[in-house]
Amino acid sequence: MAERAYKIAVIGAGPAGLSAAARAAEVGVSHVLLEGAPHLSNTIYRYQKGKLVMAEPTVLPLRSTIDFEAGSRERVLSVWDEAAARLRVNVRHGAEVAVVGGTQGNFTVSLAGGEVVSAEFVVLATGLQGNLRKLGVPGENLPFVQYQLDDPDEYENETIVVVGAGDSAIENAVALSAHNKVIIINRRDDFDKAKEGNRTAIERAIQDSVIECLYNSAPVRAEAASDRNGKPGVLVVKTASGEVALDCDRVIARLGAMPPRKFVESCGIEFPNNDPNAVPAVSAQYESNVRGLYIIGALAGYPLIKQAMNQGYEVVEFIEGRAIEPADEPVLRDKFRAVVEIRSVSSALEVIKKNVPVLSGLTTLQLREFMLDSVIRAPKRGEILFELNDYSDTFFSIVRGGVDIHVDPNDASKHVALTKGDFFGEMSLISGRRRNATVTAGERCILIETPRRSMNKLINSVASVKRIIDDTFLRRAIQSQIAPELPAEALREVVASARIERFNAGKVLFKEGDPGDSLHLIRKGSVTVARDIGGRERVLSYVAAGNYVGEMALLTDSPRSATVRASIETETIRLDGTAFKALLSRWPDIQGKMQSKARDLLAGQSAKVQQSPEGAGDLISFLVNQGVGEATDVLLIDETLCVRCDHCEKACAETHGGTSRLDREAGPTFAFIHVPTSCRHCEHPHCMKDCPPDALRRAPNGEVIILDSCIGCGNCETNCPYGVIQMAVKEEPKPVNLLSWFLFGKGRAPGEEISGHHDAGAAKIATKCDMCKDLAGGPACVRACPTGAAIRVSPEQFLTVTRGTTLDRS
Amino acid sequence: MHESFLAYRKFLYLKLGVGLIVLSIGAYALHEPPHGPNGGTWLGYTLGTIGAGLILWLLFYGIRKRQYHSKLGQVSGWLSGHVYLGSALLVVATLHCGFKFGWNVHTLSYVLMIMVIVSGAYGIFTYVRYPTLLTDNKGGMAIDAMLSEIGDLDRQCLQIAAEMGDKAHQMILRSIERTSFGTTSWRDALGGVSKGLEDLGREIKSIAGDAEPPAPLPAAIPQIGGEATVFFVADQLAGFRDSARAALGHRLLDLITSKKALVIRVQRDIVYRKLLKSWLSLHLPLSIALLAALTVHVVTVFFYW
Ligand SMILES: Cc1cc2nc3c(=O)[nH]c(=O)nc-3n(C[C@H](O)[C@H](O)[C@H](O)COP(=O)(O)OP(=O)(O)OC[C@H]3O[C@@H](n4cnc5c(N)ncnc54)[C@H](O)[C@@H]3O)c2cc1C
Ligand code: HEM
Ligand code: HEM
Ligand code: SF4
Ligand code: SF4
């Protein structure tokens, strides 16, 4: 049943949607703001109490009808509530949208309750948090069934059924069990999906009968109780031994959130590919492929509040047919000022699109965003852009002029020229490893330098970018790793046979005894090489990205002599064996070179097998299992030397604002090698995955660092699988006076951590190891160790048996 | 990969130390002063100055190791020099005074120096020996995990004991209450463990719960590492006639034995750590005393001699 028609229906009252509706209200356009939650801005509402909301990026001006500046969560929310009321924004709470149908002029927006709202234009601003997953059985919306728990202390002496086996279900169950009888329903027979700490907590509680657990069980239906005197609800659960009915006061289901993609697709909006990080493409006016349906905010790939609010304002202007200068125009104009000849931003963008094929598939909006993140550089001739073995990971596109790639570090005369329209730096971007050559600028060149995240975002959301970069990577990797001296044409067949393959951690690339039909160039990740010795798979070596495996069988025409496994998520370029053999027979030089390398390797391995009946290989497996395989630099402690004096931790605290970023005692030990809890500076840092202001970066020496633009959201802390990021208040501890401390015990002891007595509102930001990049002389932990027990090393230094040409030394 | 401070830069400081010793001995052998070798000859002054300089430098190690911002090399290099050059002092100082000892402040500083060096040598012994023992003793288990395992075992013991009757229950409760890990000062040396113990104590109290407090037993039972508890249970076991109770007793005995093994491991951990540290509380004060005595020595020889 269609209600009255609005001109604009805005879905989602986050910063983006609210700002749009507020602008519509201000200019008197008929509108409705549909919000599923009972309050505005559910995402921000759910931030931790008292959290400081930050207004990054600082260079971007705010353009919205409502105010926003950095402040506590409560303050931000109250400003918005007040503004919404003052402007008479037509907001409807509890209006969860199920699907949007139709097109410009006659959209029908169906709510979960069955009601339908019609509108000429729809603005989708539902963010990325997704909707909480429901029980999916009859009675899922009964009042005693809830999907969130704000304060476990609210309930006492109740019987509560918790459904779910993830971290939040466990945390809720354990917290509730203090004052309530708790039953937890687990679909599976373990809690392996949860974090270690939560898992042990719940297993302990179950063992001690503090919490009852039904394993291999699932809810069938929820019913309101018929008996007035008993508990208000019944949850019927199917267990391995039949159905049971649980009388309870409430059911708390913590089943995670549904990624919003399904909902978005059901509205007819297309995504560029299947990558889970892909965002739908929108035009410069934020319009999706469905005419009249606009997408703004986090859902469109803009993860910060200020961006979202600006887009809310702009989208209403666009719908109203007013062309306005985007808010980022002055910022972009400033950027282009580096290049004298360019007059206006729009002509600059045109030139870029025309000159750089890899960027020509971008929408204007995407290109603007891309340019906002990027730096335009006009280096002098001969200026070094990056050097061999640098750890930087930016991506360069050439808008004008050219650059020289110095392929041979020992011979300056050997270089390859790249010109207008080419790009470089993709190797480090994809492999996460050091630069494999030095690049210098040519005459009058103009370059765009783009940070890793923006580039990855583009690769994930624009199909043509991904294709072009993958193809080029393929060609260049094959050339540089197999046969740098051959002309490109000679490799054409091999390149044509190549394809990219992906392996999850632990997956086998090929097994000992398999026929040898291919060669793998590792382009990302790393692998271990193992042989069956006495019925047990023994690891012989570790091979990092930038090397190849599998050549042995091809060279000798024999079955695989070893099993190769991905030690972490790995991507390889698989070259077909037949094409490869054909290449070798045509170019005997290459064959000879590879053969002699393979021979050395084989000799090395068999020596290894004989020398160390146990030990070395097991140590490699252990370290690889600890994630050292994806590290670029890891702290290892030799426990035969470590006198447990904790000077490493003290040194870390003293040099980093009084908070140690390393926990020496924690972490596993094998054969006296201890891997403490400390950042490994991963090749592909998990912590970077979801950082709204892109504050996590890789510095030229390889260290993964956090910039001051951190907004303290805590995503990185959650995403790091090694638990090395802490949220802490930034503070400079008082200086230490050694003499008065020693003589009178006065003042702070050297290396003492500052205790966390702060106001609730103090801004916590992420802290982690930065490898003491600001300290001359290297990591303080290592230098402070009195016995030499602590060292920081890169895995190749102790794991790799060098194989083939490495990318580093091409 | 790892390089021990003892082997720092291929034993650079060992070589320097030996060089210093050889030079000193050579000079001493060649030197024939009119009144026999002593601190007052030119060689005596030279060796004395070298010795005093070394001592100041050795003392400075205590400062350097806490200067975490320092750019002056690695602490392990400093310790390497500390150990080898510190030991060379033995020869340098002895030759300085030309074996002229007496009951005076000069010899006092010499004796103090010897004590510092000996305590340092003992320190090296602990540094070489206990790290390995610590790791072996832990056997891959974190101390926290051991403590919580002990808690688990205690809980299970209590449950079984409760089924076995009042006397057994009391016995076990007491044994749990008296489980202790080293002395208090030892615990203090290990913030983490002592906190873990507190938590454990609280937890066990809450489990033992509102059950009446353990009544005094007719005769005091000596508690040495849970020995008595084991004997007690074993005793009971021998008396059990029906098989269900016997099975209970056996389980209890097993639990107590594994708990005992764990307690011993935790205790060892504490002891080893303590041993790694405690010698420093001899080494450091002695070295300060040495500084004082040495100052007096130098001042007296200049002003009163
Ligand atoms: C912990 C944390 C801290 C952060 N801190 C900061 C910070 O300090 N500064 C900063 O700039 N950014 C921060 N961010 C990012 C910021 O929260 C987002 O960029 C911003 O909220 C995105 O706004 P949005 O309007 O696009 O979506 P959201 O804010 O997610 O709003 C979407 C709204 O739509 C509603 N909704 C969803 N689906 C439906 C539906 N089907 N029907 C009806 N309504 C629906 C939701 O209930 C919600 O209210 C943080 C993020 C997190 C997770
Ligand atoms: C600046 C450094 C030093 C100077 C100038 C110095 C000077 C002297 C002199 C002049 C003497 C001769 C006194 C005598 O013969 O009675 C002497 C003796 C002696 N010195 Fe030193 N000395 C120095 C450092 C040291 C050090 C480092 C030690 C050892 C810890 C030391 C231990 C002795 C001893 C044991 C004697 C013998 C005392 C005696 O003869 O009864 N001196 N010193
Ligand atoms: C007279 C000579 C010496 C002096 C004055 C001296 C002084 C010191 C001082 C001041 C410290 C710092 C203690 C602290 O702050 O914790 C120290 C530590 C130490 N000393 Fe000596 N020392 C001397 C000789 C030696 C010798 C000969 C050895 C070994 C054979 C030795 C071994 C050590 C060791 C192992 C440490 C601990 C290092 C650490 O853990 O940081 N010392 N010494
Ligand atoms: S913080 Fe964690 S994920 Fe990030 S680089 Fe360090 S170890 Fe890797
Ligand atoms: S660095 Fe971490 S806490 Fe800071 S904004 Fe990025 S993801 Fe959030």
Side-chain angles (χ1 to χ4, degrees), chain A residues 427-658:
Chain A
M427 292 266 188
S428 295
L429 179 77
I430 292 174
S431 68
R433 301 180 68 82
R434 295 163 188 268
R435 298 291 193 190
N436 62 348
T438 300
V439 178
T440 57
E443 198 69 60
R444 278 168 41 81
C445 80
I446 294 180
L447 306 169
I448 305 174
E449 181 175 3
T450 314
R452 173 190 132 104
R453 183 184 65 169
S454 316
M455 212 50 222
N456 279 339
K457 189 164 139 192
L458 216 55
I459 291 176
N460 286 328
S461 47
V462 185
S464 66
V465 173
K466 182 174 170 58
R467 205 194 54 242
I468 296 176
I469 291 184
D470 273 352
D471 285 355
T472 309
F473 182 95
L474 206 84
R475 218 166 6 87
R476 290 184 183 164
I478 293 173
Q479 174 113 43
S480 69
Q481 287 183 58
I482 306 281
E485 57 273 52
L486 292 193
E489 292 80 65
L491 293 168
R492 190 175 307 134
E493 245 171 85
V494 176
V495 170
S497 81
R499 63 167 194 268
I500 293 171
E501 293 199 340
R502 283 184 184 75
F503 302 89
N504 288 336
K507 281 276 165 321
V508 171
L509 277 68
F510 51 76
K511 258 203 144 52
E512 190 172 345
D514 282 356
D517 57 354
S518 60
L519 174 83
H520 290 268
L521 302 181
I522 305 166
R523 73 166 205 160
K524 174 181 171 183
S526 58
V527 300
T528 55
V529 180
R531 282 240 298 271
D532 186 324
I533 294 165
R536 208 161 74 80
E537 201 174 289
R538 287 254 318 271
V539 174
L540 300 177
S541 64
Y542 156 94
V543 184
N547 299 289
Y548 52 75
V549 287
E551 78 288 10
M552 212 85 88
L554 295 183
L555 289 169
T556 55
D557 252 328
S558 54
R560 299 293 192 195
S561 61
T563 300
V564 171
R565 254 175 223 285
S567 63
I568 45 168
E569 197 182 293
T570 297
E571 287 178 14
T572 69
I573 300 174
R574 180 186 186 278
L575 304 183
D576 179 67
T578 326
F580 187 71
K581 280 186 201 161
L583 176 84
L584 292 186
S585 63
R586 228 169 308 128
W587 301 89
D589 277 5
I590 307 265
Q591 169 139 18
K593 212 176 76 184
M594 283 188 104
Q595 244 155 8
S596 79
K597 232 173 249 159
R599 226 181 355 256
D600 292 350
L601 192 66
L602 214 55
Q605 279 185 359
S606 65
K608 209 162 167 185
V609 172
Q610 277 150 21
Q611 276 166 16
S612 55
E614 292 292 323
D618 293 336
L619 182 60
I620 296 182
S621 320
F622 162 75
L623 290 172
V624 164
N625 285 338
Q626 294 312 316
V628 174
E630 65 175 321
T632 62
D633 192 289
V634 59
L635 180 64
L636 294 181
I637 292 181
D638 183 341
E639 288 204 338
T640 61
L641 294 176
C642 171
V643 296
R644 278 65 165 181
C645 65
D646 280 332
H647 269 273
C648 44
E649 282 188 19
K650 289 179 189 147
C652 186
E654 194 62 31
T655 48
H656 294 88

Side-chain angles (χ1 to χ4, degrees), chain A residues 613-740:
Chain A
E614 292 292 323
D618 293 336
L619 182 60
I620 296 182
S621 320
F622 162 75
L623 290 172
V624 164
N625 285 338
Q626 294 312 316
V628 174
E630 65 175 321
T632 62
D633 192 289
V634 59
L635 180 64
L636 294 181
I637 292 181
D638 183 341
E639 288 204 338
T640 61
L641 294 176
C642 171
V643 296
R644 278 65 165 181
C645 65
D646 280 332
H647 269 273
C648 44
E649 282 188 19
K650 289 179 189 147
C652 186
E654 194 62 31
T655 48
H656 294 88
T659 317
S660 172
R661 287 102 205 269
L662 96 96
D663 185 345
R664 179 192 57 77
E665 187 91 44
T669 306
F670 180 85
F672 293 104
I673 296 294
H674 178 64
V675 189
T677 300
S678 161
C679 180
R680 292 110 203 266
H681 303 276
C682 305
E683 284 177 349
H684 293 275
H686 309 272
C687 51
M688 285 187 187
K689 219 165 359 201
D690 214 0
C691 171
D694 197 14
L696 283 146
R697 295 291 176 89
R698 166 154 260 142
N701 290 324
E703 55 275 16
V704 174
I705 52 168
I706 303 179
L707 305 182
D708 287 341
S709 55
C710 167
I711 55 172
C713 68
N715 286 353
C716 53
E717 185 189 22
T718 324
N719 283 336
C720 169
Y722 306 111
V724 309
I725 298 187
Q726 295 137 300
M727 308 305 293
V729 175
K730 200 174 181 176
E731 187 180 21
E732 270 318 308
K734 289 196 199 71
V736 171
N737 184 334
L738 263 184
L739 199 65
S740 78

Side-chain angles (χ1 to χ4, degrees), chain B residues 56 64 207 213 240 274 276 279:
Chain B
L56 290 180
R64 168 61 189 91
I207 295 164
F240 287 151
K274 189 71 188 165
L276 277 171
W279 67 273

